[in-house]
Amino acid sequence: MKQTHRAVREGLAERVFLAGDAEEHIRRPVLELCAETGTPLEAVGSMKELGQACGIEVGASVAALLKE
């Protein structure tokens, strides 16, 4: 989560993915930051799905696709 926040703040994130089952104290700041910076945000079904999409064996609440 910290790396995603930093990437969005620094303008390095092309798109942010947020798990639908992430806890509210994680979801709210991500939603606000993306709205504030104009970073596109895409909902993902679950933390498990997002973790798998990221190639990790644990769930992930938030992830960012970085600009090239």
Side-chain angles (χ1 to χ4, degrees), residues 1-10 12-13 33 62-64 66:
M1 186 172 99
K2 289 179 186 178
Q3 293 172 336
T4 298
H5 276 254
R6 183 179 44 178
V8 172
R9 280 193 312 271
E10 294 177 3
L12 303 174
L33 182 60
V62 63
L66 301 178

Side-chain angles (χ1 to χ4, degrees), residues 18-42:
L18 181 61
D21 60 350
E23 294 183 24
E24 185 63 27
H25 73 274
I26 292 172
R27 294 177 54 79
R28 189 176 329 111
V30 171
L31 291 168
E32 291 172 0
L33 182 60
C34 286
E36 182 180 301
T37 61
T39 305
L41 179 69
E42 189 170 322

Side-chain angles (χ1 to χ4, degrees), residues 47-65:
M47 291 173 50
K48 182 177 180 180
E49 289 176 55
L50 186 53
Q52 288 174 342
C54 292
I56 58 176
E57 295 186 22
V58 295
S61 56
V62 63
L65 176 63

